[in-house]
């Protein structure tokens, strides 16, 4: 299966490395909006200009589109789905229905297959939320994120006047996690189940008290959260906060029995050293599934919910039944 | 969707209670090999004789077959698949390919759909093994069971001559669990990571040494394991071992990066107060999926690997994308 990567940032690099781990997948090229000559790939893959992508429709089974969810993917995915099988990791949860509709229309009209929102959340966590609710209909679901770097929150801090750089960690609150694991089904909000740790590099003479106040009061991002702000140097940020770890867990707690007397807790936990490399690995598995489904005649836009797990694996149905069932 | 339960032991009761939690599923009846007049169901469901099952082919969308894996299911499932859509929780892992072939032949020839080996292992744990390997191809998978009662192993002990009742607990060996959690990727087998504790009620004059030997040497079930056998009274078994808790976890540990420098750990853990009630709940979700797939024209035998997650849910694709993705 010949894949290509459209957009070569952290995620594109993660996909490139993941393709190299799968012997049935090959990387035809990387497309970039920068000058292709200025881009050096990690594995030596060819680099072409994004604007030339339509020259390669016959060379590529599926295009993995690695752009931002805010502005890139809503434009790129429908446009590319008119010519390619496409896959993305669109992660603005509330805009998924709209994005799905646009990609589905383009893919269906052009006779291609597409999948949006693969990764770990949305993606693996979504699957576990669905399995949890389907299997334990009388219960409650919880998603905790972290401890890990939230790029959106880090960006929000960087936009404050006087801030040079920042790293924001989302951290689950242990008491909330313990209450959920006990099967107690507490009422929790994102604010009551997570803390936010901010490491900020400020300009030399910036008003640190003002920056801290602006962070802690920022609506939607920090207001209502237990937020700590620590000022560090650019060197400390580079030395101690260069990696992009993340993780979290999805917990479904439910009851069965004639009088709901039995409690069951299903928990899926991820500890990721590299968020983009793990997301790239998830994208590769779904790329494989999409190629198989396209081969069988399936068309239009899918989500992770529509993919039979067997299609994600390079193993045959016989091998899966014999070794993994 | 009108379901029926074939076999009314612990699992059949778990399925009955689970059906009552799902408003889109209804229970037509329970079939028993005992005298139907002597069987009282938990929810007041009708009880018919198993030998009369063929009278009801037009009344039932799918039959959930709740028999033992050792001798019941290999006979029942192909026979019933000739007349019904069928679903089981066959759990003798090594015999799955043979069981699949027999059920697939019967279901395909008669134009029905079937699914074998749903539950939590095989079942949910199998799914997580597959997801783990597909997403992190360079890594290792581990499955731990327990501490909990294995019904298959308890049944196997009960079939031994001179045994009145038995309860078998599968217990993870702590040293093995610790080694996996440390990231050491140890080489482990099921036998080197679990102990088996057996509590046995023997007939008054039974040869206990012979029973213990038969248990410890039973292939596939106990041979090769650190197994302890404790003889207890029927009263002790009822008092101390009436509940059927279980659980365990599937861990996939894998590496990514140019030189494998980043480690990722995905863990799925279940803590179940009642194994049969949770297994019954899983069976209900897969029953729903099979009914949808049959409606769409799908035939033959499936496994959990072949089921798109969306089919397990009572929610529409639009609802799933809006609320769970």
């Amino acid at each position: 299966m010949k894949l290509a990567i459209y957009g070569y940032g952290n995620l594109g690099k993660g996909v490139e490395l993941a393709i190299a781990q799968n012997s049935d997948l090959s990387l035809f090229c990387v497309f970039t909006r920068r000058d292709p000559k200025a881009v050096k790939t990690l594995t030596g893959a060819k680099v072409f200009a994004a604007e030339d992508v339509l020259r390669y429709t016959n060379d590529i089974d599926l295009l993995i589109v690695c752009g931002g969810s805010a502005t890139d993917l809503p434009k790129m995915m429908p446009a590319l789905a008119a010519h390619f099988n496409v896959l993305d990791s669109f992660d603005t949860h509330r805009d998924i229905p709209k994005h799905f509709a646009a990609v589905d229309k383009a893919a269906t009209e052009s006779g291609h297959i597409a999948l949006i929102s693969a990764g770990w959340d949305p993606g693996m966590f979504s699957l576990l939320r669905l399995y949890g609710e389907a299997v334990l209909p009388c219960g409650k679901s919880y998603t905790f994120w972290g401890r890990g770097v939230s790029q959106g929150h880090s960006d929000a801090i960087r936009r404050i006047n006087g801030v040079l750089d920042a790293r924001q960690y989302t951290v689950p609150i242990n008491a909330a996690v313990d209450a959920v694991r006990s099967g107690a089904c507490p009422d929790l909000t994102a604010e009551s189940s997570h803390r936010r740790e901010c490491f900020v590099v400020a300009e030399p003479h910036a008003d640190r008290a003002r920056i801290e106040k602006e962070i802690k009061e920022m609506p939607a991002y920090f207001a209502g959260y237990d937020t700590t702000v620590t000022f560090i140097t650019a060197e400390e940020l580079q030395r101690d906060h260069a990696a992009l770890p993340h993780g979290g867990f999805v917990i479904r707690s439910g009851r069965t029995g004639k009088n709901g007397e039995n409690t069951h807790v299903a928990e899926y936990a991820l500890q990721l050293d590299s968020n983009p490399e793990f997301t790239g690995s998830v994208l590769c598995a779904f790329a494989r599934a999409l190629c198989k489904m396209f081969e069988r005649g399936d068309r239009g836009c899918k989500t992770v919910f529509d993919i039979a797990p067997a299609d994600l694996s390079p193993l045959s149905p016989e091998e899966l039944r014999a070794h993994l069932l």
Side-chain angles (χ1 to χ4, degrees), chain A:
Chain A
M1 307 175 191
K2 267 197 287 188
L3 310 179
I5 295 167
Y6 190 92
Y8 195 64
N10 284 328
L11 180 58
K13 287 171 189 164
V15 172
E16 180 188 13
L17 292 170
I19 290 172
Q21 287 191 330
N22 288 282
S23 59
D24 60 333
L25 306 180
S26 70
L27 178 57
F28 176 71
C29 75
V30 165
F31 292 101
T32 180
R33 285 179 290 180
R34 289 172 279 165
D35 174 6
K37 291 194 201 76
V39 173
K40 202 170 142 42
T41 55
L42 293 172
T43 65
K46 289 175 291 188
V47 184
F48 297 138
E51 63 192 26
D52 295 334
V53 67
L54 294 187
R55 292 191 196 167
Y56 302 98
T57 50
N58 293 328
D59 299 299
I60 297 165
D61 293 320
L62 185 137
L63 201 54
I64 302 181
V65 185
C66 302
S69 297
T71 54
D72 292 342
L73 294 175
K75 285 182 200 160
M76 288 174 177
M77 284 289 282
L80 292 167
H83 304 279
F84 294 93
N85 296 325
V86 290
L87 169 61
D88 78 16
S89 61
F90 184 81
D91 66 358
T92 310
H93 290 261
R94 59 170 186 185
D95 293 336
I96 283 173
K98 194 174 148 196
H99 188 52
F100 180 89
V103 177
D104 189 47
K105 184 169 184 290
T108 303
E109 285 176 4
S110 70
H112 287 96
I113 195 165
L115 189 142
I116 62 161
S117 303
W120 63 275
D121 195 0
M124 298 310 297
F125 274 16
S126 319
L127 286 170
L128 272 291
R129 285 190 285 263
L130 190 158
Y131 282 124
E133 294 202 6
V135 163
L136 291 170
C138 298
K140 264 183 116 163
S141 299
Y142 299 88
T143 303
F144 291 91
W145 298 273
R147 185 177 194 263
V149 174
S150 163
Q151 315 227 47
H153 288 77
S154 301
D155 289 344
I157 299 172
R158 281 189 207 101
R159 285 192 295 267
I160 293 174
N161 201 16
V163 171
L164 291 173
D165 204 350
R167 203 68 96 244
Q168 193 268 186
Y169 293 87
T170 306
V171 187
I173 293 172
N174 288 335
V177 177
D178 291 344
V180 170
R181 283 189 180 140
S182 77
C185 284
D187 286 318
L188 294 176
T189 60
E191 290 88 339
S192 65
S193 32
H194 298 87
R195 296 187 291 112
R196 300 199 173 280
E197 293 178 4
C198 311
F199 295 90
V200 179
V201 183
E203 286 173 1
H205 303 292
D207 178 350
R208 293 184 172 197
R210 194 241 329 140
I211 290 172
E212 181 165 342
K213 189 166 181 292
E214 282 194 38
I215 292 172
K216 289 186 171 176
E217 293 177 355
M218 194 184 297
Y221 284 86
F222 295 98
Y225 286 91
D226 174 3
T227 302
T228 57
V229 177
T230 307
F231 289 92
I232 59 175
T233 65
E235 292 69 34
E236 285 169 332
L237 186 128
Q238 189 53 40
R239 184 191 70 202
D240 301 334
H241 305 281
L244 295 170
H246 218 316
F249 24 98
V250 171
I251 302 178
R252 178 70 176 180
S253 174
R255 291 180 165 274
T256 64
K258 200 166 177 189
N259 305 298
E261 63 273 24
N262 289 315
T263 298
H264 309 280
V265 180
E267 174 170 343
Y268 179 68
L270 290 174
Q271 278 175 261
L272 312 175
D273 272 0
S274 165
N275 185 351
E277 289 180 13
F278 185 78
T279 302
S281 298
V282 175
L283 284 168
C284 280
F286 282 95
R288 173 185 292 118
L290 286 183
C291 290
K292 289 187 195 177
M293 293 168 74
F294 182 76
E295 200 67 33
R296 293 199 302 262
D298 217 331
R299 301 293 184 267
C301 191
K302 316 291 170 190
T303 73
V304 295
F305 298 147
D306 304 309
I307 310 305
D311 282 333
L312 299 171
S313 172
L315 300 180
S316 70
E318 292 75 16
E319 289 170 317
L320 289 175
R321 288 192 294 267
H323 303 303
L324 291 184
L325 194 58

